[in-house]
mmCIF file of all heavy atoms in Angstrom:
data_model
loop_
_atom_site.group_PDB
_atom_site.id
_atom_site.type_symbol
_atom_site.label_atom_id
_atom_site.label_comp_id
_atom_site.label_asym_id
_atom_site.label_seq_id
_atom_site.Cartn_x
_atom_site.Cartn_y
_atom_site.Cartn_z
ATOM 1 N N TRP Z 267 100.122 186.428 10.462
ATOM 2 C CA TRP Z 267 98.946 187.082 11.034
ATOM 3 C C TRP Z 267 97.926 187.415 9.942
ATOM 4 O O TRP Z 267 98.300 187.667 8.796
ATOM 5 C CB TRP Z 267 99.328 188.406 11.692
ATOM 6 C CG TRP Z 267 100.402 188.330 12.734
ATOM 7 C CD1 TRP Z 267 101.757 188.270 12.495
ATOM 8 C CD2 TRP Z 267 100.260 188.264 14.136
ATOM 9 N NE1 TRP Z 267 102.456 188.201 13.681
ATOM 10 C CE2 TRP Z 267 101.557 188.190 14.685
ATOM 11 C CE3 TRP Z 267 99.144 188.291 15.000
ATOM 12 C CZ2 TRP Z 267 101.770 188.131 16.089
ATOM 13 C CZ3 TRP Z 267 99.372 188.229 16.379
ATOM 14 C CH2 TRP Z 267 100.675 188.143 16.893
ATOM 15 N N ASN Z 268 96.653 187.414 10.344
ATOM 16 C CA ASN Z 268 95.587 187.931 9.494
ATOM 17 C C ASN Z 268 95.560 189.435 9.616
ATOM 18 O O ASN Z 268 95.506 189.982 10.739
ATOM 19 C CB ASN Z 268 94.244 187.298 9.919
ATOM 20 C CG ASN Z 268 93.119 187.703 8.990
ATOM 21 O OD1 ASN Z 268 93.188 188.711 8.280
ATOM 22 N ND2 ASN Z 268 92.048 186.921 9.000
ATOM 23 N N GLU Z 269 95.592 190.098 8.507
ATOM 24 C CA GLU Z 269 95.647 191.565 8.508
ATOM 25 C C GLU Z 269 94.504 192.188 9.275
ATOM 26 O O GLU Z 269 94.598 193.266 9.889
ATOM 27 C CB GLU Z 269 95.665 192.080 7.046
ATOM 28 C CG GLU Z 269 95.730 193.593 6.896
ATOM 29 C CD GLU Z 269 95.620 193.968 5.426
ATOM 30 O OE1 GLU Z 269 96.376 193.436 4.619
ATOM 31 O OE2 GLU Z 269 94.761 194.815 5.100
ATOM 32 N N ASP Z 270 93.299 191.507 9.233
ATOM 33 C CA ASP Z 270 92.098 192.097 9.870
ATOM 34 C C ASP Z 270 91.909 191.641 11.305
ATOM 35 O O ASP Z 270 90.948 192.039 11.966
ATOM 36 C CB ASP Z 270 90.860 191.694 9.014
ATOM 37 C CG ASP Z 270 90.930 192.218 7.597
ATOM 38 O OD1 ASP Z 270 91.386 193.365 7.449
ATOM 39 O OD2 ASP Z 270 90.576 191.482 6.681
ATOM 40 N N ASP Z 271 92.776 190.780 11.825
ATOM 41 C CA ASP Z 271 92.629 190.287 13.185
ATOM 42 C C ASP Z 271 94.031 189.925 13.728
ATOM 43 O O ASP Z 271 94.572 188.876 13.421
ATOM 44 C CB ASP Z 271 91.712 189.061 13.220
ATOM 45 C CG ASP Z 271 91.506 188.532 14.630
ATOM 46 O OD1 ASP Z 271 91.895 189.231 15.586
ATOM 47 O OD2 ASP Z 271 90.958 187.411 14.757
ATOM 48 N N LEU Z 272 94.549 190.807 14.568
ATOM 49 C CA LEU Z 272 95.879 190.590 15.137
ATOM 50 C C LEU Z 272 95.826 190.026 16.549
ATOM 51 O O LEU Z 272 96.801 190.096 17.300
ATOM 52 C CB LEU Z 272 96.699 191.915 15.163
ATOM 53 C CG LEU Z 272 96.981 192.531 13.791
ATOM 54 C CD1 LEU Z 272 97.852 193.762 13.967
ATOM 55 C CD2 LEU Z 272 97.645 191.551 12.848
ATOM 56 N N SER Z 273 94.686 189.486 16.941
ATOM 57 C CA SER Z 273 94.544 188.976 18.312
ATOM 58 C C SER Z 273 95.417 187.732 18.511
ATOM 59 O O SER Z 273 96.079 187.574 19.557
ATOM 60 C CB SER Z 273 93.085 188.653 18.621
ATOM 61 O OG SER Z 273 92.548 187.744 17.718
ATOM 62 N N VAL Z 274 95.380 186.803 17.575
ATOM 63 C CA VAL Z 274 96.119 185.547 17.652
ATOM 64 C C VAL Z 274 96.774 185.285 16.287
ATOM 65 O O VAL Z 274 96.097 185.403 15.263
ATOM 66 C CB VAL Z 274 95.259 184.371 18.067
ATOM 67 C CG1 VAL Z 274 96.049 183.078 18.132
ATOM 68 C CG2 VAL Z 274 94.576 184.630 19.406
ATOM 69 N N PRO Z 275 98.048 184.881 16.225
ATOM 70 C CA PRO Z 275 98.649 184.579 14.911
ATOM 71 C C PRO Z 275 98.052 183.334 14.293
ATOM 72 O O PRO Z 275 97.608 182.417 14.981
ATOM 73 C CB PRO Z 275 100.137 184.403 15.270
ATOM 74 C CG PRO Z 275 100.180 184.040 16.699
ATOM 75 C CD PRO Z 275 98.996 184.740 17.333
ATOM 76 N N LEU Z 276 98.071 183.294 12.993
ATOM 77 C CA LEU Z 276 97.596 182.089 12.266
ATOM 78 C C LEU Z 276 98.568 180.941 12.500
ATOM 79 O O LEU Z 276 98.170 179.786 12.651
ATOM 80 C CB LEU Z 276 97.478 182.366 10.778
ATOM 81 C CG LEU Z 276 96.509 183.482 10.328
ATOM 82 C CD1 LEU Z 276 96.666 183.791 8.853
ATOM 83 C CD2 LEU Z 276 95.077 183.046 10.648
ATOM 84 N N ILE Z 277 99.861 181.264 12.484
ATOM 85 C CA ILE Z 277 100.920 180.254 12.618
ATOM 86 C C ILE Z 277 102.029 180.854 13.440
ATOM 87 O O ILE Z 277 102.404 181.992 13.259
ATOM 88 C CB ILE Z 277 101.469 179.768 11.281
ATOM 89 C CG1 ILE Z 277 100.389 179.041 10.449
ATOM 90 C CG2 ILE Z 277 102.671 178.862 11.417
ATOM 91 C CD1 ILE Z 277 100.819 178.788 9.018
ATOM 92 N N GLU Z 278 102.623 180.064 14.312
ATOM 93 C CA GLU Z 278 103.918 180.399 14.954
ATOM 94 C C GLU Z 278 104.878 179.254 14.700
ATOM 95 O O GLU Z 278 104.474 178.076 14.790
ATOM 96 C CB GLU Z 278 103.736 180.517 16.477
ATOM 97 C CG GLU Z 278 103.013 181.750 16.955
ATOM 98 C CD GLU Z 278 102.874 181.720 18.485
ATOM 99 O OE1 GLU Z 278 101.971 181.035 18.960
ATOM 100 O OE2 GLU Z 278 103.691 182.369 19.147
ATOM 101 N N GLU Z 279 106.132 179.601 14.377
ATOM 102 C CA GLU Z 279 107.102 178.568 14.135
ATOM 103 C C GLU Z 279 108.430 178.948 14.761
ATOM 104 O O GLU Z 279 109.002 180.003 14.426
ATOM 105 C CB GLU Z 279 107.279 178.314 12.630
ATOM 106 C CG GLU Z 279 108.256 177.208 12.342
ATOM 107 C CD GLU Z 279 108.461 176.970 10.862
ATOM 108 O OE1 GLU Z 279 107.541 177.266 10.075
ATOM 109 O OE2 GLU Z 279 109.516 176.437 10.489
ATOM 110 N N ASP Z 280 108.906 178.156 15.654
ATOM 111 C CA ASP Z 280 110.239 178.379 16.275
ATOM 112 C C ASP Z 280 111.326 177.878 15.279
ATOM 113 O O ASP Z 280 111.181 176.832 14.674
ATOM 114 C CB ASP Z 280 110.370 177.596 17.573
ATOM 115 C CG ASP Z 280 109.591 178.252 18.687
ATOM 116 O OD1 ASP Z 280 108.884 179.238 18.452
ATOM 117 O OD2 ASP Z 280 109.675 177.761 19.846
ATOM 118 N N LEU Z 281 112.384 178.694 15.161
ATOM 119 C CA LEU Z 281 113.459 178.314 14.221
ATOM 120 C C LEU Z 281 114.693 177.786 14.911
ATOM 121 O O LEU Z 281 115.164 176.710 14.626
ATOM 122 C CB LEU Z 281 113.848 179.558 13.373
ATOM 123 C CG LEU Z 281 112.738 180.135 12.486
ATOM 124 C CD1 LEU Z 281 113.306 181.226 11.608
ATOM 125 C CD2 LEU Z 281 112.081 179.092 11.621
ATOM 126 N N ASP Z 282 115.255 178.535 15.887
ATOM 127 C CA ASP Z 282 116.434 178.078 16.582
ATOM 128 C C ASP Z 282 116.601 178.946 17.831
ATOM 129 O O ASP Z 282 115.768 179.831 18.115
ATOM 130 C CB ASP Z 282 117.684 178.202 15.698
ATOM 131 C CG ASP Z 282 117.886 179.569 15.091
ATOM 132 O OD1 ASP Z 282 117.630 180.574 15.789
ATOM 133 O OD2 ASP Z 282 118.243 179.667 13.890
ATOM 134 N N GLY Z 283 117.697 178.725 18.529
ATOM 135 C CA GLY Z 283 117.923 179.454 19.787
ATOM 136 C C GLY Z 283 118.938 180.569 19.678
ATOM 137 O O GLY Z 283 119.447 181.057 20.679
ATOM 138 N N SER Z 284 119.303 180.963 18.415
ATOM 139 C CA SER Z 284 120.262 182.058 18.240
ATOM 140 C C SER Z 284 119.682 183.385 18.688
ATOM 141 O O SER Z 284 118.456 183.528 18.841
ATOM 142 C CB SER Z 284 120.705 182.117 16.793
ATOM 143 O OG SER Z 284 121.344 180.906 16.385
ATOM 144 N N SER Z 285 120.552 184.368 18.811
ATOM 145 C CA SER Z 285 120.121 185.665 19.330
ATOM 146 C C SER Z 285 120.000 186.721 18.261
ATOM 147 O O SER Z 285 119.454 187.802 18.519
ATOM 148 C CB SER Z 285 121.056 186.135 20.414
ATOM 149 O OG SER Z 285 122.383 186.241 19.910
ATOM 150 N N GLY Z 286 120.536 186.504 17.033
ATOM 151 C CA GLY Z 286 120.522 187.566 16.038
ATOM 152 C C GLY Z 286 119.132 187.811 15.497
ATOM 153 O O GLY Z 286 118.283 186.919 15.460
ATOM 154 N N VAL Z 287 118.889 189.056 15.088
ATOM 155 C CA VAL Z 287 117.588 189.454 14.528
ATOM 156 C C VAL Z 287 117.356 188.724 13.186
ATOM 157 O O VAL Z 287 118.273 188.486 12.406
ATOM 158 C CB VAL Z 287 117.557 190.975 14.349
ATOM 159 C CG1 VAL Z 287 116.330 191.407 13.533
ATOM 160 C CG2 VAL Z 287 117.582 191.665 15.662
ATOM 161 N N LEU Z 288 116.097 188.393 12.917
ATOM 162 C CA LEU Z 288 115.698 187.757 11.666
ATOM 163 C C LEU Z 288 115.135 188.861 10.754
ATOM 164 O O LEU Z 288 114.144 189.525 11.115
ATOM 165 C CB LEU Z 288 114.651 186.690 11.888
ATOM 166 C CG LEU Z 288 115.119 185.427 12.666
ATOM 167 C CD1 LEU Z 288 113.924 184.542 13.018
ATOM 168 C CD2 LEU Z 288 116.143 184.648 11.844
ATOM 169 N N PHE Z 289 115.731 189.035 9.580
ATOM 170 C CA PHE Z 289 115.255 189.967 8.593
ATOM 171 C C PHE Z 289 114.356 189.219 7.556
ATOM 172 O O PHE Z 289 114.827 188.325 6.877
ATOM 173 C CB PHE Z 289 116.386 190.654 7.833
ATOM 174 C CG PHE Z 289 117.271 191.494 8.694
ATOM 175 C CD1 PHE Z 289 118.644 191.187 8.801
ATOM 176 C CD2 PHE Z 289 116.781 192.590 9.362
ATOM 177 C CE1 PHE Z 289 119.465 191.962 9.584
ATOM 178 C CE2 PHE Z 289 117.606 193.380 10.151
ATOM 179 C CZ PHE Z 289 118.967 193.095 10.253
ATOM 180 N N PRO Z 290 113.047 189.584 7.457
ATOM 181 C CA PRO Z 290 112.224 188.908 6.476
ATOM 182 C C PRO Z 290 112.142 189.724 5.160
ATOM 183 O O PRO Z 290 112.149 190.953 5.175
ATOM 184 C CB PRO Z 290 110.826 188.903 7.165
ATOM 185 C CG PRO Z 290 110.844 190.143 7.993
ATOM 186 C CD PRO Z 290 112.268 190.425 8.370
ATOM 187 N N PHE Z 291 112.107 189.007 4.033
ATOM 188 C CA PHE Z 291 111.943 189.642 2.699
ATOM 189 C C PHE Z 291 110.897 188.816 1.960
ATOM 190 O O PHE Z 291 110.965 187.587 1.935
ATOM 191 C CB PHE Z 291 113.272 189.622 1.915
ATOM 192 C CG PHE Z 291 114.385 190.394 2.579
ATOM 193 C CD1 PHE Z 291 115.294 189.735 3.383
ATOM 194 C CD2 PHE Z 291 114.498 191.742 2.378
ATOM 195 C CE1 PHE Z 291 116.314 190.426 4.011
ATOM 196 C CE2 PHE Z 291 115.535 192.453 2.983
ATOM 197 C CZ PHE Z 291 116.441 191.825 3.810
ATOM 198 N N TYR Z 292 109.962 189.529 1.313
ATOM 199 C CA TYR Z 292 108.863 188.848 0.645
ATOM 200 C C TYR Z 292 108.849 189.229 -0.822
ATOM 201 O O TYR Z 292 108.968 190.412 -1.189
ATOM 202 C CB TYR Z 292 107.526 189.171 1.282
ATOM 203 C CG TYR Z 292 106.370 188.494 0.611
ATOM 204 C CD1 TYR Z 292 106.219 187.117 0.685
ATOM 205 C CD2 TYR Z 292 105.391 189.202 -0.106
ATOM 206 C CE1 TYR Z 292 105.155 186.474 0.100
ATOM 207 C CE2 TYR Z 292 104.330 188.571 -0.713
ATOM 208 C CZ TYR Z 292 104.218 187.205 -0.607
ATOM 209 O OH TYR Z 292 103.161 186.552 -1.222
ATOM 210 N N ASP Z 293 108.746 188.256 -1.715
ATOM 211 C CA ASP Z 293 108.646 188.474 -3.160
ATOM 212 C C ASP Z 293 107.203 188.160 -3.550
ATOM 213 O O ASP Z 293 106.811 187.009 -3.629
ATOM 214 C CB ASP Z 293 109.614 187.561 -3.883
ATOM 215 C CG ASP Z 293 109.578 187.741 -5.401
ATOM 216 O OD1 ASP Z 293 108.807 188.612 -5.862
ATOM 217 O OD2 ASP Z 293 110.274 187.024 -6.129
ATOM 218 N N SER Z 294 106.416 189.246 -3.767
ATOM 219 C CA SER Z 294 105.015 189.028 -4.084
ATOM 220 C C SER Z 294 104.779 188.411 -5.418
ATOM 221 O O SER Z 294 103.699 187.877 -5.724
ATOM 222 C CB SER Z 294 104.238 190.361 -3.980
ATOM 223 O OG SER Z 294 104.823 191.326 -4.874
ATOM 224 N N ASP Z 295 105.786 188.468 -6.331
ATOM 225 C CA ASP Z 295 105.639 187.875 -7.670
ATOM 226 C C ASP Z 295 105.638 186.352 -7.586
ATOM 227 O O ASP Z 295 104.926 185.646 -8.363
ATOM 228 C CB ASP Z 295 106.771 188.331 -8.585
ATOM 229 C CG ASP Z 295 106.753 189.825 -8.819
ATOM 230 O OD1 ASP Z 295 105.692 190.438 -8.584
ATOM 231 O OD2 ASP Z 295 107.792 190.395 -9.180
ATOM 232 N N THR Z 296 106.463 185.787 -6.705
ATOM 233 C CA THR Z 296 106.581 184.324 -6.597
ATOM 234 C C THR Z 296 105.928 183.802 -5.305
ATOM 235 O O THR Z 296 105.899 182.589 -5.101
ATOM 236 C CB THR Z 296 108.045 183.910 -6.621
ATOM 237 O OG1 THR Z 296 108.735 184.533 -5.507
ATOM 238 C CG2 THR Z 296 108.739 184.335 -7.904
ATOM 239 N N ASN Z 297 105.447 184.708 -4.456
ATOM 240 C CA ASN Z 297 104.903 184.322 -3.131
ATOM 241 C C ASN Z 297 105.927 183.625 -2.258
ATOM 242 O O ASN Z 297 105.611 182.784 -1.448
ATOM 243 C CB ASN Z 297 103.648 183.458 -3.251
ATOM 244 C CG ASN Z 297 102.494 184.216 -3.885
ATOM 245 O OD1 ASN Z 297 102.361 185.426 -3.715
ATOM 246 N ND2 ASN Z 297 101.653 183.511 -4.596
#
Side-chain angles (χ1 to χ4, degrees):
W267 307 81
N268 185 338
E269 180 185 308
D270 300 320
D271 181 11
L272 298 183
S273 57
V274 179
L276 300 171
I277 295 172
E278 288 178 279
E279 182 180 336
D280 286 5
L281 298 186
D282 53 40
S284 299
S285 58
V287 169
L288 294 171
F289 296 120
F291 299 94
Y292 181 67
D293 180 2
S294 58
D295 298 340
T296 59
N297 294 329

